[in-house]
Amino acid sequence: MRPTTLCFPVAADGRLLLGCKKRGFGNGKWNGFGGKLEPGESFRECAVRELYEEVSLLAEPEALEYMGFLDFHFTAAPAADHITYIYFVKTWTGNATESEEMEPRFFAVDQLPYDRMWQSDRVWLPRLIKGERIKGRVIFAPDGETVQSLEIKEDRQ
Ligand SMILES: Nc1nc2c([nH]c(=O)n2[C@H]2C[C@H](O)[C@@H](COP(=O)(O)OP(=O)(O)OP(=O)(O)O)O2)c(=O)[nH]1
């Protein structure tokens, strides 16, 4: 399964930085920052690179807090299946800057734009915000959007 990352910067006041995807996969959705691992890259290295490419924030790999993983399965397009390692990061340098891929905005955690995010995020993101680490699987219906089934557990390790 294709390895990918997803990273959510958390500001000192607790707000979360999301980006509205401007093109390609997930276009128009608010999400964390991330993408596919490049050859030879670790998950953390990928998350740091994508954060910089997509929103110009520079983080140390060790500053990333691992929050769990999700397997995303696309029933009609198995080639799109991927596993995502999810991170929060609270320290970085630079200012969130719009890129060709993402328009960034900080959101209070009780005002996240779930109606314009991937459908299952409203289930698992609040758990991460509470500090829980998760592992799970999301299976998408043939339309590639609707959640067909969802299995999320707490990862106590
Ligand atoms: N929050 C969230 N993200 C999802 C869901 N499903 C899903 O594929 N993604 C995201 C997580 C990954 O960051 C991203 C991986 O897809 P991708 O690697 O094709 O994304 P990309 O086009 O931005 O990647 P890249 O070209 O920059 O490498 O998709 C979901 O249900 N919720």
Side-chain angles (χ1 to χ4, degrees):
M1 188 168 321
R2 222 155 45 96
T4 65
T5 60
L6 193 55
C7 180
F8 295 91
V10 185
D13 62 7
R15 287 181 305 158
L16 231 56
L17 183 68
L18 300 179
C20 187
K21 190 92 188 282
K22 292 163 64 178
R23 64 178 190 202
F25 193 64
N27 187 22
K29 288 186 172 59
W30 289 93
N31 205 350
F33 303 90
K36 303 174 201 67
L37 266 70
E38 289 186 349
E41 224 176 24
S42 68
F43 281 97
R44 278 173 192 271
E45 287 165 349
C46 171
V48 167
R49 176 181 53 74
E50 292 277 356
L51 191 63
Y52 187 70
E53 287 176 3
E54 294 184 352
V55 71
S56 298
L57 299 185
L58 195 55
E60 296 292 337
E62 316 79 61
L64 300 178
E65 296 174 30
Y66 174 67
M67 301 307 294
F69 73 86
L70 288 172
D71 282 331
F72 292 120
H73 286 275
F74 295 85
T75 45
D81 288 358
H82 56 106
I83 181 169
T84 293
Y85 274 39
I86 307 169
Y87 300 96
F88 278 3
V89 65
K90 295 182 180 149
T91 53
W92 60 79
T93 54
N95 295 313
T97 305
E98 184 169 354
S99 63
E100 283 182 8
E101 204 167 336
M102 287 288 210
E103 178 205 333
R105 193 185 301 169
F106 284 96
F107 291 91
V109 292
D110 58 355
Q111 288 172 19
L112 293 175
Y114 286 119
D115 53 341
R116 292 182 60 204
M117 295 171 72
W118 285 90
Q119 225 178 68
S120 73
D121 295 15
R122 68 182 70 218
V123 176
W124 54 264
L125 190 50
R127 293 173 66 166
L128 302 192
I129 291 167
K130 278 192 233 149
E132 196 179 318
R133 185 181 282 187
I134 58 161
K135 54 181 177 182
R137 176 184 306 192
V138 183
I139 301 180
F140 293 96
D143 67 4
E145 294 272 336
T146 309
V147 174
Q148 184 171 300
S149 70
L150 181 66
E151 188 187 295
I152 309 236
K153 293 183 184 156
E154 184 171 6
D155 182 356
R156 292 180 177 277
Q157 290 206 355

